[in-house]
Amino acid sequence: MKRRNFFKTAAVSSSVIAVSGFAGCQPEKQIKEAERNFTPFDFNEITIDDLQKKMASGELSSMEICQKYLDRINEIDPILKSIIELNPDALEIATQLDEERKNGTVRGPLHGIPIVIKDNIDTADKMQTTAGSLALEGNIAERDAFIVKKLREAGAVLLGKTNLSEWANFRSSNSSSGWSGKGGQVRNPYCLDRSPCGSSSGTGAAISGNLCAIGIGTETNGSIVCPSGINGIVGIKPTLGMWSRNGIIPIAHSQDTAGPMTRTVKDAATLLGALAEFDSEDAENHLGKGEIFSDYTQFLDKNGLQGARIGVATNMMGFNKNVDEIIKQVYRTLQENGAEVVEFEFENSRKTGRPSYQVLLYEFKADLNKYLQGHSNAKPKSLADLIKFNSENAAKEMPWFEQEIFEEAEKKGDLNEKEYLDALEESKSLAGKEGIDAELKKHSLDAIVAPTNGPSWTIDWVNGDHFGGGSSSPAAISGYPNITVPAGYVHGLPIGVSFFAEAWSEPKLLKLAYAFEQATKHRKAPEFIKSLT
């Protein structure tokens, strides 16, 4: 099985951007406008703190900030295809929040801040939740996802929903990351003929391209950290259960989580705390409850690498010599800032693949059927219905790749089957207790680092992704946290470095990741070049 499977593992001003689905074989036509210089922007690389200062001083209102981002989307996104739908009520919401501010109420650090979220997260408004599939057009949720409710309470402005690898890249092993039947092909803002990775590709491209202040993606295995790394931004996959999965189109409840995707570690920490809360109605969670904080910025420390003992998983390298050189420079940076670096081999890193994939197949069928049956506006009510819809609409839904993963999952039984229960126990143990936990203890480590991604590959609808390498599986399968930070570039293409450790170790990982970010400051705005050739 290909490693890529685990990544599947009105008006903007009031204008709606029409996003085409099947784009055809003419990428040059799609990106010819990229000869213009899209890099300059009033809010280029702006942070939450910067925006709050502008609103507090009266320099700008939330409505004006949102309008600038909407104009930016209108200008760039016909090329990038990172936004699948805009919120027609965004400016009205921003205006209401401005009134609250004028009357002396500021709800917190997200008050008036525009955000984009992945189009597999329910919103009880005028926007649909489709997972990029034409089969779910018209699926308007009757209630907000738990994390969306939290966003609204925090005063964030839902600007729109982002495109994604359709069905979170769990439909075919021959897929193109960032392609969906509804939204077309997301492009990497650093180089437009290259992949944005999946499945939270739209969020990664939009935040990297400065189309919004902050964003949210979801991950089963790699779908936050890979598009973050490959688009040159920060991504956090939280410990399973820190953010509620309630109201998110699922792949597998034993691995799924949403998480922040931002341009800085501090913005990611701010968003992480704003939405962190146990949800009693959430799907089952195999991890015990850990301590959750409402403010994770308190753990950020420029000197956070001092005295840390960090393991470098050498067997997660070797897939690209240029990436290896970047990770060697990461070593040096860690050491220069007071950390002790220990090289080791992650013994179980390649043993979890088969059992984890079986878990995903079983849980996908069970969890997706439950989601569809609980949404009255979703026309299909089962995975079998989706398979039938795709077959009947193959010209639009399957022009490049098919649905063999759907078909494989449909053949599975329920979650009481021995095959599923054995695979669940084996995969969790190998990745967690016998994996990350064992390696941390054996080598007396505070955290493990490894390359998040290789250089972005050229988009290839005929052959699908040609993913190079990464390190997402141990943290994803165990349900443990993983933070990726920009680490350098290969021919101008971003490479991220991942920091991961035991369950509920976000405070420690944020301390380390922030110190690394501040020591290096590798993040730079993309230039939207057409091609490296």
Side-chain angles (χ1 to χ4, degrees):
M1 181 181 58
K2 297 181 182 179
R3 170 62 193 276
R4 181 177 62 255
N5 285 347
F6 291 109
F7 290 112
K8 304 188 173 23
T9 5
V12 175
S13 58
S14 287
S15 65
V16 168
I17 291 178
V19 185
S20 62
F22 175 41
C25 291
Q26 298 179 346
E28 295 84 2
K29 182 178 180 181
Q30 290 183 323
I31 65 177
K32 64 181 179 181
E33 288 295 319
E35 293 174 359
R36 298 164 56 197
N37 184 4
F38 289 122
T39 304
F41 177 49
D42 289 348
F43 295 161
N44 220 31
E45 303 301 287
I46 204 163
T47 66
I48 290 173
D49 285 348
D50 295 333
L51 291 172
Q52 287 296 352
K53 288 175 184 176
K54 290 180 182 296
M55 288 187 285
S57 69
E59 179 184 347
L60 285 172
S61 65
S62 175
M63 190 276 288
E64 290 169 328
I65 290 168
C66 290
Q67 184 63 68
K68 281 183 176 287
Y69 277 121
L70 290 171
D71 291 342
R72 172 84 166 167
I73 290 168
N74 196 36
E75 179 183 28
I76 294 176
D77 207 63
I79 296 165
L80 210 56
K81 292 190 181 297
S82 64
I83 308 296
I84 204 167
E85 185 173 9
L86 289 169
N87 185 358
D89 297 327
L91 296 181
E92 180 181 347
I93 293 168
T95 300
Q96 292 171 353
L97 290 164
D98 286 333
E99 285 298 314
E100 286 188 18
R101 186 182 293 271
K102 288 178 184 178
N103 293 328
T105 298
V106 176
R107 302 187 190 187
L110 296 186
H111 189 108
I113 301 295
I115 186 169
V116 290
I117 66 175
K118 190 173 177 180
D119 185 34
N120 60 351
I121 303 172
D122 285 345
T123 55
D125 50 25
K126 296 173 184 175
M127 292 188 289
Q128 304 172 75
T129 305
T130 70
S133 172
L134 298 173
L136 282 190
E137 285 192 319
N139 179 35
I140 295 177
E142 295 175 348
R143 67 173 185 168
D144 285 334
F146 187 95
I147 60 171
V148 171
K149 181 175 179 288
K150 293 276 291 181
L151 274 177
R152 296 193 200 277
E153 291 171 351
V157 180
L158 292 180
L159 202 64
K161 292 193 175 183
T162 55
N163 198 3
L164 67 159
S165 307
E166 185 177 306
W167 294 111
N169 228 355
F170 203 69
R171 199 191 85 188
S172 171
S173 59
N174 200 46
S175 64
S176 172
S177 285
W179 187 93
S180 71
K182 185 172 185 284
Q185 176 67 58
V186 182
R187 297 185 175 278
N188 190 311
Y190 286 87
C191 186
L192 295 167
D193 67 353
R194 292 194 172 252
S195 177
C197 201
S199 66
S200 304
S201 46
T203 307
I207 300 307
S208 182
N210 287 283
L211 271 63
C212 196
I214 54 177
I216 291 176
T218 67
E219 173 163 331
T220 304
N221 190 331
S223 289
I224 288 174
V225 295
C226 184
S228 294
I230 222 164
N231 286 287
I233 64 173
V234 175
I236 301 178
K237 186 205 79 68
T239 300
L240 198 69
M242 176 177 286
W243 278 19
S244 171
R245 286 80 54 86
N246 200 341
I248 300 176
I249 297 176
I251 289 181
H253 62 262
S254 68
Q255 288 184 209
D256 289 349
T257 183
M261 297 174 70
T262 64
R263 290 180 291 272
T264 68
V265 173
K266 186 175 182 181
D267 281 0
T270 300
L271 181 54
L272 181 68
L275 305 192
E277 182 182 344
F278 285 116
D279 174 10
S280 61
E281 296 183 11
D282 195 4
E284 65 185 84
N285 179 10
H286 65 277
L287 298 175
K289 290 183 180 180
E291 188 172 11
I292 289 180
F293 300 88
S294 60
D295 177 14
Y296 282 89
T297 65
Q298 65 180 301
F299 302 108
L300 305 183
D301 180 359
K302 288 183 179 180
N303 300 313
L305 289 168
Q306 285 284 346
R309 185 175 166 90
I310 299 176
V312 178
T314 55
N315 58 327
M316 292 181 177
M317 298 166 57
F319 56 85
N320 183 289
K321 65 179 182 179
N322 294 312
V323 174
D324 288 349
E325 287 303 313
I326 287 174
I327 298 302
K328 288 177 184 177
Q329 181 56 54
V330 170
Y331 295 178
R332 290 190 283 271
T333 299
L334 297 174
Q335 291 170 331
E336 288 166 1
N337 286 272
E340 182 180 359
V341 175
V342 179
E343 291 188 346
F344 76 101
E345 286 203 6
F346 198 111
E347 294 182 6
N348 286 347
S349 63
R350 293 185 175 91
K351 297 179 182 179
T352 54
R354 188 188 180 284
S356 174
Y357 185 58
Q358 294 304 309
V359 170
L360 302 192
L361 292 173
Y362 273 97
E363 292 188 2
F364 181 65
K365 178 181 179 180
D367 295 350
L368 184 59
N369 285 350
K370 182 178 178 181
Y371 174 90
L372 294 172
Q373 290 159 15
H375 286 69
S376 60
N377 291 319
K379 295 177 183 177
K381 295 302 177 186
S382 66
L383 177 57
D385 289 348
L386 292 171
I387 293 170
K388 183 173 184 290
F389 177 93
N390 290 339
S391 297
E392 292 174 350
N393 296 272
K396 292 181 179 180
E397 272 293 349
M398 300 194 295
W400 303 116
F401 53 90
E402 298 184 356
Q403 57 179 341
E404 67 273 14
I405 294 177
F406 271 23
E407 292 164 350
E408 194 174 357
E410 177 59 23
K411 294 176 183 177
K412 295 297 184 183
D414 63 29
L415 301 187
N416 294 311
E417 291 202 352
K418 186 176 187 301
E419 182 184 39
Y420 165 71
L421 295 172
D422 288 348
L424 181 64
E425 182 178 0
E426 181 182 7
S427 62
K428 298 306 176 190
S429 180
L430 286 172
K433 183 178 179 180
E434 298 175 24
I436 293 175
D437 293 340
E439 298 292 0
L440 293 174
K441 182 178 180 180
K442 179 180 179 181
H443 303 285
S444 301
L445 303 175
D446 293 300
I448 298 167
V449 301
T452 306
N453 59 285
S456 177
W457 54 93
T458 49
I459 293 168
D460 187 344
W461 295 329
V462 175
N463 297 301
D465 289 339
H466 21 282
F467 173 77
S471 58
S472 65
S473 287
I477 296 169
S478 63
Y480 294 0
N482 190 358
I483 301 177
T484 181
V485 181
Y489 300 84
V490 173
H491 299 296
L493 301 172
I495 303 299
V497 61
S498 288
F499 294 76
F500 55 95
E502 71 275 11
W504 310 108
S505 61
E506 282 85 352
K508 174 176 61 177
L509 294 178
L510 282 164
K511 179 180 177 181
L512 299 174
Y514 180 74
F516 176 81
E517 175 198 51
Q518 294 303 300
T520 57
K521 297 188 176 179
H522 284 300
R523 163 70 192 173
K524 62 183 180 182
E527 296 181 354
F528 302 91
I529 66 171
K530 290 173 63 177
S531 176
L532 295 183
T533 58

